[in-house]
Amino acid sequence: MPLSSTSTIALVELGHALRQAGYRFVTITPATHRRVNRRPENAWASDVRGVFGWSRPFRAGVLPPEVEAAARRAGVLVPHDQDGQPGWRSLVRASSVGDCLYFHSAWPTSDEDAVFFGPDTYRYIAAMRRSLGRLGRPVQRAVDIGAGSGAGAIELALQFRTATVYGADINDAALNLVDVNAALNGAANVIPCRSDLLDGVDGHVDLVMSNPPYILDEDELAYRHGGGEHGAALSIDIVRCALERLHAGGSLLLYTGSAIVDGQDRFLDAIRPDLDGRCSGWQYEELDPDIFGGQLGCDGYENVERIAAVWLHAVKAA
């Protein structure tokens, strides 16, 4: 069953059941996830973290009865046969950020409509929080472009309870989980919104934030593929679109990846004229100098020496 058709109420109930069971899980990179799950002792889940964190198949009796009942009502458990042994597996994972819990797609995230959550999400939220004390104007309307699980939009909405925060995405499964996760975490001021960039949001806004796809993906999966310019095309479009739609003094908060070629940051080179020409101030920093190193062996990265995780905070000029 696709995640876009799961029941919001039933998934929220599952989230509450997981919390009552003391569930917490920090989601790591797909490569690390794969290595850990390949260990022989991890072929089957032995506890609730194995089911909803590590996405391992499980047999009867592993889940607490309240959690299993809630998961079945939500329709997220499907039959699974492994080496002739029958069991079940979950269609969703759940990740912890502080006291919040976020549902997203099960591992591996190979479907076109997969809703991704990982280390980038944690870096995105942490950088966003650090920037909130330096905004150029009060936040009444904000939008998270490519909201995915809704974690960024929800974390912002919990900081600005009177603001309307749009969780924008083109993926129905993502929009469903934005709705679920907002309800689960008490962020009633988050509105799921189908939108390609900002075409589904009317008028001007006070803040635009985004953690978009930023690599070249040979399968062009929506949650991974950032388009041309070594994967930076979508991030460049977001910068330009945001600067069109922000109020004067409004902020753009962008977490993305940038290909470094011969020591030059190609993404920054592309957006610098827009920032210098349309902003009263902007800050740009590398949060991590070397991420997705394995990507450098793929087509399109022949002259790239590293991919950096970068953070941009730009304030639109009057």
Side-chain angles (χ1 to χ4, degrees):
M1 180 180 64
L3 293 181
S4 56
S5 62
T6 55
S7 164
T8 296
I9 294 174
L11 263 181
V12 171
E13 289 176 351
L14 173 59
H16 289 312
L18 288 172
R19 279 195 178 126
Q20 288 212 317
Y23 176 89
R24 295 186 68 83
F25 191 83
V26 174
T27 297
I28 35 70
T29 66
T32 299
H33 199 131
R34 185 177 300 107
R35 291 187 188 100
V36 173
N37 270 4
R38 280 177 176 170
R39 296 170 184 168
E41 66 271 23
N42 293 333
W44 291 87
S46 60
D47 58 15
V48 67
R49 292 177 76 250
V51 175
F52 292 105
W54 291 106
S55 285
R56 296 168 188 159
F58 68 98
R59 302 183 180 96
V62 167
L63 291 177
E66 299 82 2
V67 171
E68 181 168 352
R72 294 199 183 281
R73 286 194 298 271
V76 297
L77 300 183
V78 294
H80 177 88
D81 185 279
Q82 187 159 295
D83 299 326
Q85 300 181 58
W88 299 84
R89 64 183 297 272
S90 172
L91 294 174
V92 296
R93 283 181 284 174
S95 293
S96 307
V97 179
D99 293 330
C100 291
L101 195 65
Y102 295 101
F103 284 113
H104 52 105
S105 294
W107 181 87
T109 48
S110 53
D111 295 334
E112 174 60 33
D113 65 347
V115 181
F116 189 75
F117 188 111
D120 275 343
T121 312
Y122 293 102
R123 286 189 284 255
Y124 176 43
I125 291 170
M128 179 268 290
R129 287 173 175 167
R130 290 194 297 269
S131 295
L132 294 184
R134 298 182 281 112
L135 301 180
R137 61 181 286 132
V139 179
Q140 293 301 316
R141 296 184 80 223
V143 58
D144 184 6
I145 297 176
S149 68
I154 291 164
E155 295 289 333
L156 181 75
L158 294 175
Q159 296 291 322
F160 297 99
R161 290 285 190 172
T162 62
T164 298
V165 182
Y166 298 94
D169 213 294
I170 59 173
N171 180 355
D172 288 337
L175 294 174
N176 187 52
L177 289 185
V178 170
D179 196 29
V180 168
N181 290 327
L184 176 60
N185 293 295
N189 51 330
V190 170
I191 299 175
C193 174
R194 169 170 279 280
S195 183
D196 186 353
L197 296 177
L198 292 174
D199 67 2
V201 179
D202 294 331
H204 285 70
V205 296
D206 304 301
L207 188 148
V208 174
M209 56 191 293
S210 187
N211 170 21
Y214 56 77
I215 63 172
L216 293 174
D217 179 51
E218 63 180 1
D219 296 321
E220 298 193 7
L221 293 176
Y223 79 90
R224 285 173 54 87
H225 188 60
E229 304 295 332
H230 298 105
L234 179 55
S235 296
I236 294 169
D237 288 344
I238 289 171
V239 170
R240 293 171 179 166
C241 179
L243 293 178
E244 286 291 328
R245 298 286 296 279
L246 283 167
H247 287 295
S251 289
L252 165 63
L253 305 178
L254 176 67
Y255 171 93
T256 189
S258 180
I260 310 300
V261 179
D262 295 329
Q264 292 296 116
D265 184 327
R266 292 295 183 86
F267 170 61
L268 180 58
D269 289 345
I271 63 172
R272 188 186 293 274
D274 299 279
L275 299 176
D276 287 341
R278 307 199 64 179
C279 297
S280 59
W282 56 275
Q283 297 85 39
Y284 184 90
E285 62 177 313
E286 286 193 10
L287 301 181
D288 192 321
D290 183 15
I291 58 173
F292 283 99
Q295 198 69 25
L296 301 187
C298 300
D299 290 345
Y301 288 92
E302 291 80 9
N303 61 341
V304 175
E305 59 192 47
R306 61 187 177 93
I307 302 172
V310 300
W311 177 252
L312 170 67
H313 180 180
V315 178
K316 185 175 179 180

